[in-house]
Amino acid sequence: MKKLKLLLIVLIIGFTGTSWSQTKVTGVVTDEQNIPIPGVNVLVKGSNIGAATDFDGNYQIGAKNGDVLVFSFLGFQTLEVAYKGQSNLNIQLLEDASQLEEVVVIGYGAVKRTDLTGAVASLSAANITEQKKTDIGQALQGRVAGVDVRSLSNKPGAPLSIDVRGNTVIKNNNAGRDGVSDNLSDDLSQPLFVVDGVFFEDINMLNPADIQQLDILKDASATAIYGARGANGVVIITTKNGIEGKTQFTYEATLGVRSAANVPDMYNGDEYVDFVDKVLRSTAWRGLADPNNGIFPTVEDYNNVAVNISSEIQIGNEEANNAATGRYTDWGEDFRHTGIQTSHTLGMSGGANGLVYNGSIGYLKDEGVIGIEDFERYNLNLSLTKKVSDQFSVGLKSYLALSEREEGSRELFRSTLRLAPTVNSRDPEGNVILFPDAQDGRFTNPYYDANGAWRVNTKTLNIIANVFLDYKPTDWFNFKTQFAPNIRNARFGEYRGLLTKSSRNEANRIRAYYNSSFNTSYTWDNIANFNFDVTEGHNLKATLISSVYYQQREGSNIETRDFDTDAYLFYNTESGTDVRNYSTQYYKETLSSFAGRLNYSILDKYLFTFTGRYDGSSKLAVGNEWAFFPSAAFAWKASDETFLQDVDWLSNLKLRLSYGESGNDSSVSAYSSLAFLGGADYLYGDSTTNGVVVGGLPNYDLTWERSKEFNFGVDLAVLQNRVRLGLEIYNKKTVDGIFDRTLSNITGYGNAIGNYASVRNSGVEVTLNTTNIQTDNFKWTTNINFSRNKNEILELDGDRDEEAFGNHGILKIGEAVDAIYGYEKIGIWQLDEAAEANSYQYFPGQEKYKDQNGDGSLNSADDYVILGQVSPDWIGGMTNTFTYKNLDLSVQVYTRQGSFGHSEFYNNFVPWQNDDAKFNKVDLDYWTPNNPDAEFPALEYGSTGNNYYTSFDFVRIGNIGLGYQFPQPMLDKLKMSSLRLSLDIQNPFTFTDYAGPDPETGLQNSYNGGYLMKTVLFGLKLSY
């Protein structure tokens, strides 16, 4: 009995000693970029004690001194660490070659990439910042299949148009205006942007250095969790979180010089004088014709016709003397200058005792290369998370962006290219000549615009926040509530001073505009997550969501004229005695939603996802506010099957199939289903009286636009993951499209909003990542993406097959929503075709168009055809990265092919434009009787109004980057964690047949235009 008691005492002491020797170990598991990794398995080796990291990479486990902790996660190298008694142990895992298991944010949650069933693309923090781009849109350009990113303006701070899998909106404002607007609100087909759970409009305001990850949900299965908001795709942006442990400081800086690239080849002085001679000769030669009597001039007539260029090259302003002596002015070169771009980001992160924090402050200044164009942005980012107990966590993420964009003069770019090189900028005494060209009083000297006589200024403040509470009572359930407000305050001011083109030195023509807007919105989400094993090999994850979104916008604007001084700019509109316009605006909208998502896994090989969302929008008609949007997806990890596990060359094979529906109400504004009253005057007796009229028809049936999409995907990796291929094939049909239907004049109304239209987007996307060479010291990788999208209208309004739209487009069943419509060019009329050309009322040297119906005449009703479309046939990108020890070199190329449209630059600057040689022109091959094989028509009379269509195809070297990472021994001496130097050359080369400044902005009017800019950028990134 005594022996038994002694044995029990020894066991109790041993057990107690073991318990006392255990320590609660906490820490954060991150990757090589210090980004937390959720879902990492943490085990005490040789035991059944284990844990997993949460979404922020935090873990907690009991261990004793001498235990070995094993950290494992698919896609990363397994790491074993001997525990030495410390209470905090942070771990960094290295990626293995596959990189297949990165965590992807899918909306209200995250999964490993191998568990995805939908089409989702991702960019990490390293991907976003490696090219030192100033905004998120630039970082996306040419990097993700199925995502078309296009510059709308080359002025600093201009936003970019982003389309995911084509355009679903038939009457897209941006398409209707030929894409020339750089106002994002005009693009109704842009995706939904979600920043830290906050619905966001202008991601141009974000500092790329603050981004932890960017995920793009492309197919309806992936976007269905956002229901009514996800029809055009969803871009989820996650800013950086804190990492528990020692405080870490980071600093990133860039300094670069900017210069104009791809400058149009305008005529120099001698070429311009010859051009004037040819214009006058062409006009005089054309005047020799008498078609009614069968008289058509010859080559000899052209060469011998008398020309007097003094009508254009005049004597009074020394223009003729300049031409005679070769003293010319290069207006473009004189007003282009070097711009400076600089950015700084200072960050701090760390934490202890369950509190983690991350904060950063950023600054960007981006100068243009002409006039006073400038963009400044300040960013402040703060993230705090506190683990109150084992069950409760609270947190706050907030982001502030303050920006000011100065566009300068909207005429400066055009004026410096238009002005003839033969006219002077200053008189002999050095005084600025207000009207350099005596023949044209419309244009003032660009000197004044370049120095701020015309200002277009926008100042914007964006504030977003996300306050959340997370409750996790068990391992298999957690509840999260989060409130995310967004405040956006913007002020637009424009001032056209005394010496601008519009004022022309007349005080009563001076004008000022002042517009202000104050927008507030919030999202309140309640999210319940379940995660448990139903039985062995069967896992169920469920997410239940209730959400409320509210938005309120208000604003005002005023325009006044007739100022007696330029001192006030647009800040004192009261000083303008001529009040032209003033108004105020207000509207609000709400969206309520209930959603659920089920992820069911069988043997981790057969993956099922079911999603449904029930949305109600205040913008739609009463009784039609609510709709349900379902989706289902299946994925099969075929490479995990026993019959494929012995295939040595196969690393991964997963097949995916999905169907989903998503809604859209973004193409209508609030109150669109209602009729409005508008002011009108009417005659009452002998006097005119103010009254009101019904301004439009109501639509009590207005309901959701709905997109239905099938998606088939393949994820393939071979040769130990050295070759990885992703393939997506999709077909998305949008029905009940919200469409502005044109009405007959007999109704008394011009149009009516309703669910009349249907459009289809179908296509293929390919992503290929290869490791071409990998040795101990050298590595070469290639990333290629390709996407092709076909857009076609299936239905307009049931009564018609086509309708003219925009300046040069048509909406036609079977064609793209941005189709271009006109005569089909088949050549240029030649001298021996003069009689036939005359039968069509054309003349040799003009463009020859196809008579589609062969009736011997040309008219738009019978002979117009589809010439092309603004959206490209396909887009692609390729990045090659070479790494030798600590040195790396990358080259990124992207292209847009098949984009076609009306060039506003050509409309102003081609030599055959009929303006009597008043302006300088771009040097193009034009027709003369001596040059019959020219590509373009004859000077002056060659213009027919239909010949400014062109291709905007291009291949661009987007970035060449060289970087050096300092080795660890040197960093240890400097007591630093990381130090990297870089040199990037952005937009160094563009290969295109387009003669304008930038094929990507070719649709943009030269009014308010700008130069494509090349930037040489030096970068520094350090942490300690």
Side-chain angles (χ1 to χ4, degrees), residues 20 80 108 110 147 153-154 358 419 452-453 550 616 651 761 858 968:
W20 287 346
E80 296 186 0
Y108 306 101
V147 180
S153 170
N154 285 316
N358 179 81
L419 283 167
Y550 172 87
S651 305
N761 284 276
L858 291 174
Q968 193 61 45

Side-chain angles (χ1 to χ4, degrees), residues 62-129:
K64 64 180 184 297
N65 193 13
D67 281 346
V68 175
L69 300 182
V70 182
F71 298 84
S72 62
F73 188 59
L74 291 175
F76 290 83
Q77 300 175 15
T78 298
L79 181 65
E80 296 186 0
V81 178
Y83 177 59
K84 299 180 180 180
Q86 62 268 49
S87 61
N88 186 268
L89 180 61
N90 293 331
I91 297 298
Q92 186 178 82
L93 296 183
L94 302 178
E95 291 184 355
D96 65 14
S98 69
Q99 298 182 8
L100 293 172
E101 299 303 324
E102 61 191 82
V103 174
V104 178
V105 179
I106 56 172
Y108 306 101
V111 298
K112 294 181 294 185
R113 178 164 292 279
T114 50
D115 293 339
L116 273 176
T117 56
V120 181
S122 302
L123 288 179
S124 67
N127 298 140
I128 294 170
T129 60

Side-chain angles (χ1 to χ4, degrees), residues 282 285-286 825 827-834 837 842-849 912 925-929 931-932 934-944 947:
S282 179
W285 178 75
R286 171 70 176 82
K825 177 183 174 181
I828 294 178
W829 290 107
Q830 300 299 326
L831 292 175
D832 58 0
E833 301 173 303
Y842 285 91
F843 194 79
Q846 291 185 305
E847 290 187 337
K848 181 195 296 185
Y849 303 118
W912 63 91
D925 180 28
Y926 53 83
W927 187 95
T928 70
N931 186 30
E935 180 180 359
F936 299 107
L939 299 179
E940 190 62 17
Y941 73 87
S943 175
T944 62
N947 50 2

Side-chain angles (χ1 to χ4, degrees), residues 59 248 273 353 466 538 541 556 659 811 814 832 911:
Y59 75 92
Q248 184 178 62
V273 173
N353 301 320
N466 187 327
H538 292 247
K541 297 181 178 69
S556 63
Y659 170 80
L811 302 175
D832 58 0

Side-chain angles (χ1 to χ4, degrees), residues 961-1007:
L962 180 66
Y964 180 74
Q965 179 72 37
F966 281 75
Q968 193 61 45
M970 183 176 295
L971 296 175
D972 293 339
K973 293 179 181 179
L974 297 173
K975 297 182 179 181
M976 300 175 66
S977 303
S978 176
L979 177 59
R980 175 180 170 81
L981 301 178
S982 62
L983 171 64
D984 287 89
I985 306 175
Q986 299 173 356
N987 299 328
F989 306 108
T990 299
F991 305 98
T992 181
D993 291 331
Y994 179 62
D998 183 5
E1000 194 172 341
T1001 61
L1003 294 170
Q1004 184 191 30
N1005 200 319
S1006 57
Y1007 176 78

Side-chain angles (χ1 to χ4, degrees), residues 610-627:
F610 304 95
T611 305
R613 180 155 173 151
Y614 192 53
D615 280 314
S617 170
S618 65
K619 296 166 69 174
L620 304 176
V622 175
N624 291 322
E625 306 99 322
W626 291 91

